[in-house]
């Protein structure tokens, strides 16, 4: 049984996962999200939030599972906000020393992918990973998740959140933009920026903010979504052609958006490939995904010694060899 701690940004969450007779089971998950009072995520405040709540979350987990049932402590080692990652790593090291159980440092992006594969049954998908800080198209090649295309400036979720904030909507903005976009079907032209296999969202964001000065906000939300999601769909389609994969899976917090999901699923239908999207609770950051990947890694013998447990804010998925 593996306990996993997630805390790369807004979500502080502890999950416990077990494997029995080859079947993986979720045992419990307790979470306490950081929701900024105003503005976006402030790294130091988020870290302060995590350090104020981690002990209580662990206490609640240990009301449900006994400490000696735990075989390892998994934690999100990166990528993420340095101050947040350090709180999680410190708590994990302490727990590991206290319980005398090994540590397993987990890559947060790969955790999104692996829990998605587990929940949807996708076997070897092209992954469209769209979250706050990250927007990447990946596929497993020669034992590593390689990035075929990605944002060259901000993550899609962060662009949506920033737009929302500037027009007076509260954080996180993605779901609020989705609701407003449903009230419009009037397209306002906004810049579409795909460079080779890469994407850029900052020009789109600036133009959307300019457009809102003389257009109804619903129309701008609609257009912003149409352009950003079409960009992502185009790059995904080209990555599909390039890799010849026959599955596509959407993961990450922005994956909760039904219009994005619809565009990708239409593209997949046109190409005759299967499309997968995990349940909403696995799309955003959660402790269960860290416990789940930690368990897979633990079962093939991977351990993270204390002197290798430093946080890795710029942890890229291709840095990890997929040996599970
Ligand atoms: P990562 O470290 O993987 O980048 P994260 O900290 O950004 O993760 P996630 O939970 O994966 O966290 O994603 C959060 C993002 O998802 C936020 O930017 C939020 O606005 C966006 N989001 C959530 N729901 C929706 C939605 N329905 N439509 C669009 N965006 C959404
Ligand atoms: Fe995430």
């Amino acid at each position: 049984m593996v306990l996993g701690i997630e805390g790369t940004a807004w979500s502080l969450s502890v999950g416990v996962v077990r494997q029995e007779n080859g079947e993986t089971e979720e045992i419990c998950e307790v979470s306490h999200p950081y929701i900024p009072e105003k503005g976006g995520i402030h790294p130091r405040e988020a870290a302060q939030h995590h350090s104020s709540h981690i002990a209580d979350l662990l206490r609640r987990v240990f009301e449900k599972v006994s400490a000696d049932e735990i075989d390892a402590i998994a934690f999100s080692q990166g990528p993420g906000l340095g101050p947040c990652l350090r709180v999680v790593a410190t708590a994990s090291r302490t727990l590991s020393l206290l319980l005398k159980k090994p540590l397993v440092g987990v890559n947060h992006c790969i955790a999104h992918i692996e829990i998605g594969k587990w929940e949807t049954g996708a076997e070897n998908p092209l992954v469209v990973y769209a979250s706050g800080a990250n927007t990447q198209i990946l596929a497993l090649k020669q034992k590593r998740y390689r990035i075929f295309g990605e944002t060259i400036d901000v993550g899609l979720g962060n662009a949506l959140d920033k737009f929302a904030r500037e027009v007076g909507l509260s954080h996180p903005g993605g779901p609020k933009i989705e609701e407003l976009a449903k009230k419009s079907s009037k397209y306002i032209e906004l810049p579409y920026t795909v460079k080779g296999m890469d994407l850029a969202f900052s020009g789109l964001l600036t133009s959307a903010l300019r457009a809102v000065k003389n257009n109804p906000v619903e129309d701008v939300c609609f257009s912003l979504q149409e352009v950003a999601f079409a960009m992502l769909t185009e790059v995904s389609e080209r990555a599909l052609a390039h890799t010849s994969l026959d599955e596509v899976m959407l993961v990450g917090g922005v994956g909760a958006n039904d219009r994005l999901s619809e565009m990708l699923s239409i593209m997949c239908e046109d190409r005759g490939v299967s499309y997968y999207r995990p349940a909403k609770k696995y799309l955003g950051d959660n402790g269960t995904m860290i416990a789940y990947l930690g368990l897979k890694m633990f079962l093939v013998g991977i351990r993270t010694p204390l002197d290798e447990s430093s946080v890795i804010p710029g942890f890229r998925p291709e840095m990890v060899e997929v040996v599970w």
Side-chain angles (χ1 to χ4, degrees):
M1 194 184 283
V2 170
L3 179 148
I5 310 179
E6 160 58 31
T8 54
W10 63 274
S11 166
L12 181 68
S13 176
V14 183
V16 179
V17 163
R18 147 173 97 184
Q19 196 173 77
E20 236 178 37
N21 310 322
E23 290 284 310
T24 308
E25 257 191 285
E26 285 170 70
I27 305 301
C28 67
E29 183 183 81
V30 293
S31 308
H32 196 289
Y34 158 72
I35 302 162
E37 270 170 41
K38 62 174 177 32
I41 298 176
H42 188 290
R44 234 177 322 111
E45 276 175 23
Q48 187 59 47
H49 162 272
H50 292 2
S51 61
S52 311
H53 291 93
I54 186 70
D56 184 50
L57 289 192
L58 290 169
R59 206 172 294 121
R60 282 164 56 198
V61 166
F62 288 116
E63 282 166 10
K64 297 176 189 171
V65 298
S66 118
D68 35 273
E69 290 177 279
I70 304 287
D71 297 303
I73 313 296
F75 69 105
S76 50
Q77 198 167 5
L81 305 171
C84 297
L85 292 172
R86 280 191 286 278
V87 171
V88 169
T90 305
S92 306
R93 284 184 209 113
T94 311
L95 202 56
S96 156
L97 291 168
L98 210 65
L99 303 181
K100 301 189 177 58
K101 303 293 176 184
L103 275 178
V104 182
V106 163
N107 178 290
H108 173 96
C109 314
I110 301 181
H112 273 293
I113 300 174
E114 292 291 346
I115 194 116
K117 282 164 75 174
W118 172 64
E119 212 251 341
T120 61
E123 282 176 8
N124 184 23
L126 181 83
V127 179
V128 182
Y129 168 37
S131 65
N134 295 289
T135 305
Q136 298 171 339
I137 316 288
L138 315 99
L140 196 56
K141 203 172 171 206
Q142 288 158 340
K143 296 199 163 185
R144 288 180 198 265
Y145 282 105
R146 316 263 171 192
I147 299 172
F148 285 83
E150 66 184 315
T151 176
I152 50 174
D153 47 35
V154 291
L156 176 52
N158 284 358
L160 295 173
D161 292 342
K162 179 121 198 285
F163 174 82
R165 206 155 62 234
E166 301 278 327
V167 302
L169 303 166
S170 63
H171 186 86
K176 285 137 206 159
I177 292 173
E178 180 173 21
E179 280 318 302
L180 288 173
K182 282 182 190 156
K183 298 186 182 145
S184 165
S185 53
K186 180 163 182 270
Y187 180 69
I188 301 161
E189 199 154 322
L190 293 173
Y192 181 103
T193 321
V194 170
K195 297 184 179 173
M197 290 295 283
D198 291 326
L199 308 146
F201 296 110
S202 64
L204 172 60
L205 171 64
T206 310
S207 298
L209 286 172
R210 207 175 296 135
V212 96
K213 293 194 179 115
N214 36 37
N215 291 283
V217 68
E218 292 82 0
D219 295 349
V220 183
C221 288
F222 169 76
S223 310
L224 174 60
Q225 285 202 160
E226 291 302 300
V227 173
F229 300 165
M231 285 162 52
L232 201 52
T233 306
E234 181 199 322
V235 174
S236 306
E237 184 165 18
R238 265 189 291 133
L240 257 187
H242 179 73
T243 55
S244 309
L245 292 170
D246 58 6
E247 297 177 321
V248 171
M249 180 175 71
L250 175 62
V251 300
V254 183
N257 190 292
D258 289 332
R259 178 61 181 143
L260 171 59
S261 185
E262 182 185 36
M263 275 197 203
L264 286 169
S265 68
I266 292 170
M267 182 273 285
C268 288
E269 210 178 306
D270 285 349
R271 295 189 66 93
V273 306
S274 311
Y275 172 70
Y276 299 93
R277 172 166 72 152
K280 285 206 173 141
K281 71 176 190 130
Y282 298 114
L283 284 169
D285 295 350
N286 63 89
T288 302
M289 71 183 193
I290 303 300
Y292 176 74
L293 177 53
L295 177 67
K296 281 178 94 74
M297 293 168 71
F298 174 77
L299 290 174
V300 296
I302 299 172
R303 309 286 183 267
T304 305
L306 270 189
D307 61 358
E308 289 172 25
S309 66
S310 311
V311 303
I312 315 173
F315 202 174
R316 308 248 318 157
E318 66 267 29
M319 286 158 73
V320 179
E321 192 177 5
V322 180
V323 289
W324 50 84

